[in-house]
Amino acid sequence: MTALVPGRAGPVKPFARRDKEDRATDSSRCIFGPVASGRLGLSLGLDLLGARICTFDCLYCEAGPTEALTLARKPYVPAARLLAELAAWKAAGHPRPDAVTLGGLGEPTLNSDCGAILAGAKELFPDVPVAVLTNSSLRSDPDGRGALRLADIVLPSMDTLVAAEYGRLNRPQAGLDLAGLRRGLLDFRSGYDGSLYLEVLLAAGINDSEENLALLRDFCRELAPTRVDVVTLSRPGAYPQAKAVPAAVWSRFRRALAVGPGADAVAGGHGPAALAARRAADTAAPDTADAAAPRAADRAGDTAARVLASVTRRPQTAAVLAAALGEPLVAVQAALDGLEAAGSVQRRRDGQDIFYSG
C-alpha cells in the first residue's frame, strides 16, 4: 500500500524488504562514521532503519527523499544484529568517539528495538554519551517516549509551530497533528532528566516567518531545553525547494531562541558555522602523496566501506570525511573516486564545496 505525501505529485514507493536486507549486509553498514558533528563532536552513527524510512519527508533532509512514509514501529534493524556490529567496531580498536548517536536514514524511534539498542550501546560504551536524533513525531507515543529516557542526550527538532509551514516543510505522514507533536515533546521533557538539544532548521520563504518565531519563542520558554540550535541548509537537501535563509534572518532567529552555552554560535550540522568549519578543514587537511603510505588491499577496501557507509547517511566533503574517519585525505579521495566510478556515490557542487552522497 502506498502513502501519499502532502505537496508531492505522486505516492511514496512502498518499502521493499529485500532492499533493506541487501543494504544491511553490504558496504552500507549499520555502524557509520565517526561523523563530524557541530554539537556532538566526533559522533559514531548507528543506523536503526537500513533505508529511508521515516514519519516525515522533509524538503531539507540530507539523507534524500523518504522511500517509505510510515508510522509503523518495527525492528527494522534488530537490536542483536546492530549491537553485534557495534561490539565488533569497538573490538577493532578504533579511537574512542565523542558520542554514540542513534540516527541514520530516517526516524530512529520507528525501530521498536530502539530501547534495547540504547541500553546495549550504553553497556558497550559506558564512558561515552549516547545520543538520539529525532524529528519529535513519535513523542506522543508512550512507547516511543519511554525508550528515549535511557539516552544521555536527545536532539529533537521542531522547525515550525505554524500548521501550514509544517505541512509544506516537513510533509508528515497522515495523522501526525502538529499540536500533538508539540504536546508530546513537552510531556517527554517533563519526565526526562538528560540533556535536550532542540534544533530548528530554517528554509527560506517556508518557515522563516515572524509568526513562527513568536510561537517558537514561547514554546522554548515552556520546554526549557538544555540548548537551542538554529540552523539552515549548508549542504544539499532532498528537494530543490529547500534553500538557506539569508544571514540576517538566521541571526534574528538565533538571537531570539538561543538557550545554553555556545548555542548562539554553533549552527549544528546544516548551519553556516558548520560550513565554515568544513572549509577550514579543507584548508588544513593533508593533500600530499606522503600523507598516504601504501595500503594493503583489505585496508583500502575497509576505507571504501567506511566512506560509503558514512556518505550514504550524510553528504560530506572529502576533507570532512578524512578528518572524521582519521584517514589521509588522499586515501579518502581515492575511495570516493572508485565508488563514484562504480556508481555507488555521486558528487554535487554546492557553492565552493563538492559533496559526496551514497
Side-chain angles (χ1 to χ4, degrees), residues 4 6 8 13 18 65 71 74 95-96 125 146-147 153-154 156-157 163 165 171 186 211 231 270 299 331 351:
L4 292 175
R8 175 181 270 189
K13 294 179 181 179
R18 179 184 59 80
L71 298 179
K74 301 177 184 178
R96 175 184 177 276
F125 291 89
I153 306 170
V154 174
S157 62
E165 295 177 358
R171 296 158 35 114
L186 290 170
E211 179 185 6
V231 305
H270 288 273
R299 176 63 174 161

Side-chain angles (χ1 to χ4, degrees), residues 50-84:
R52 295 179 179 89
I53 305 169
C54 199
T55 55
F56 289 173
D57 185 32
C58 296
L59 293 179
Y60 58 75
C61 184
E62 62 192 28
T66 296
E67 294 170 326
L69 194 64
T70 184
L71 298 179
R73 299 190 72 229
K74 301 177 184 178
Y76 294 100
V77 177
R81 183 181 177 278
L82 193 150
L83 292 173

